[in-house]
């Protein structure tokens, strides 16, 4: 079955540590996205990539980094520079034509202890 | 920059009745798409319905329909014959079409369905 796989589902981190969230898709989609979800805030775009080896900052990129070395993979690193990293993180992908409908993974919950 | 506003943080409806969720947006683009996504307690985002801005006809998917008012930049979602499984957070979203498909989301409306 085609889809988007995020791992881990739950992650705990101590302050000052970097963590990497994995996102893999087998939908052959060109574009991939990372969103952050906080209660009452909706979804806010962190980074997106429209093609391999290229990515752009979204609205809240500070304290985060990404890479896009393969079409299927778009990992997100939450660095120690991110002031408030506890949140729910959603990865998504889309084809680069048509409506641009996003397909989402099941999300990763990061908690900083 | 695009903005999407959902003015109802929470809504409730009786099972089998109809409810309408509101959404307004602001964009300078002429070509764009609008979406309603559902996020149940499992937190998996699911597309409910989409609307192309250039189409005047309102989109419909079974019990879900939209009222798209382009001049007013309004995009409301109507759920008919509400079911317990419709209980979820609903997000309105828009993109700018063209070569940039990143979605801008509203803050969501939490829908409760009462038996």
């Amino acid at each position: 079955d085609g889809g988007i796989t995020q791992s881990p589902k739950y992650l705990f981190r101590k302050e000052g540590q970097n963590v990497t969230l994995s996102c893999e898709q087998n939908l052959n989609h060109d574009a991939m996205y990372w969103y952050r979800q906080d209660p009452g805030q909706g979804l806010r775009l962190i980074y997106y990539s429209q093609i391999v080896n290229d990515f752009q900052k979204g609205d809240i990129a500070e304290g985060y980094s990404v890479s896009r070395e393969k079409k299927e993979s778009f990992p997100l690193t939450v660095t120690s520079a991110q002031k408030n990293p506890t949140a729910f993180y959603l990865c998504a992908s889309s084809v680069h034509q048509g409506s641009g409908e996003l397909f989402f993974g099941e999300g990763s919950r990061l908690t900083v202890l | 920059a695009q903005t999407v506003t959902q003015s109802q943080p929470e809504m409730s409806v009786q099972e089998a009745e109809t409810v309408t969720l509101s959404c307004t947006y602001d964009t300078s683009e002429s070509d764009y798409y609008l979406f309603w996504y559902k996020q149940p307690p499992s937190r998996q985002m699911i597309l409910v319905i989409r609307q192309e801005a250039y189409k005047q006809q309102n989109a419909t998917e079974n019990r879900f329909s939209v009222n798209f008012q382009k001049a007013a930049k309004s995009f409301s979602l109507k759920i008919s014959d509400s079911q317990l499984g419709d209980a979820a957070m609903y997000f309105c979203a828009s993109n700018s079409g063209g070569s940039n498909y990143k979605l801008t989301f509203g803050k969501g409306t939490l829908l409760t369905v009462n038996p």
Side-chain angles (χ1 to χ4, degrees):
Chain A
D1 282 334
I4 299 176
T5 302
Q6 288 186 241
S7 62
K9 254 191 149 171
Y10 301 95
L11 185 61
F12 297 88
R13 170 195 114 171
K14 293 182 180 178
E15 280 193 25
Q17 290 181 335
N18 292 354
V19 293
T20 297
L21 307 180
S22 170
C23 178
E24 302 277 333
Q25 56 102 356
N26 60 5
L27 300 169
N28 199 32
H29 286 173
D30 296 305
M32 297 187 73
Y33 312 79
W34 275 104
Y35 284 89
R36 170 179 171 143
Q37 185 177 14
D38 297 283
Q41 292 292 323
L43 277 70
R44 293 180 291 170
L45 183 64
I46 304 172
Y47 268 98
Y48 65 104
S49 168
Q50 295 177 315
I51 197 169
V52 174
N53 292 323
D54 188 39
F55 48 83
Q56 288 80 40
K57 292 181 179 180
D59 301 316
I60 56 165
E62 186 175 348
Y64 299 97
S65 65
V66 294
S67 63
R68 187 86 187 276
E69 297 177 2
K70 299 186 299 181
K71 187 176 185 178
E72 303 79 19
S73 178
F74 191 42
L76 173 74
T77 297
V78 184
T79 75
S80 56
Q82 169 50 233
K83 296 286 186 276
N84 185 19
T86 295
F88 188 65
Y89 292 88
L90 283 161
C91 179
S93 69
S94 69
V95 297
H96 209 56
Q97 58 187 358
S99 70
E101 172 191 346
L102 294 191
F103 293 80
F104 285 86
E106 294 184 337
S108 294
R109 173 72 184 177
L110 172 63
T111 302
V112 174
L113 303 173
Chain B
Q2 293 187 328
T3 60
V4 177
T5 302
Q6 293 180 249
S7 59
Q8 306 152 317
E10 297 184 24
M11 292 281 286
S12 65
V13 63
Q14 290 296 125
E15 199 175 0
E17 296 195 343
T18 296
V19 65
T20 298
L21 308 184
S22 301
C23 173
T24 58
Y25 62 94
D26 191 13
T27 179
S28 57
E29 303 289 337
S30 58
D31 176 26
Y32 55 92
Y33 288 84
L34 299 163
F35 304 84
W36 279 98
Y37 278 88
K38 169 185 178 181
Q39 188 181 42
S42 68
R43 309 204 76 172
Q44 174 87 54
M45 295 282 282
I46 304 163
L47 178 68
V48 175
I49 199 165
R50 76 165 71 86
Q51 173 81 42
E52 294 102 315
Y54 66 88
K55 285 190 175 180
Q56 292 187 339
Q57 186 173 6
N58 289 326
T60 299
E61 288 286 342
N62 300 314
R63 299 182 294 107
F64 299 87
S65 61
V66 299
N67 183 5
F68 175 45
Q69 302 289 328
K70 190 171 184 179
K73 294 184 179 177
S74 170
F75 182 60
S76 60
L77 174 69
K78 185 171 86 170
I79 306 174
S80 303
D81 186 25
S82 296
Q83 300 175 359
L84 295 177
D86 295 333
M89 183 72 85
Y90 287 82
F91 292 98
C92 179
S94 73
N95 70 14
S96 57
S99 62
N100 185 348
Y101 288 108
K102 58 177 182 149
L103 287 189
T104 299
F105 286 84
K107 294 187 177 182
T109 297
L110 180 62
L111 178 66
T112 301
V113 180
N114 300 310

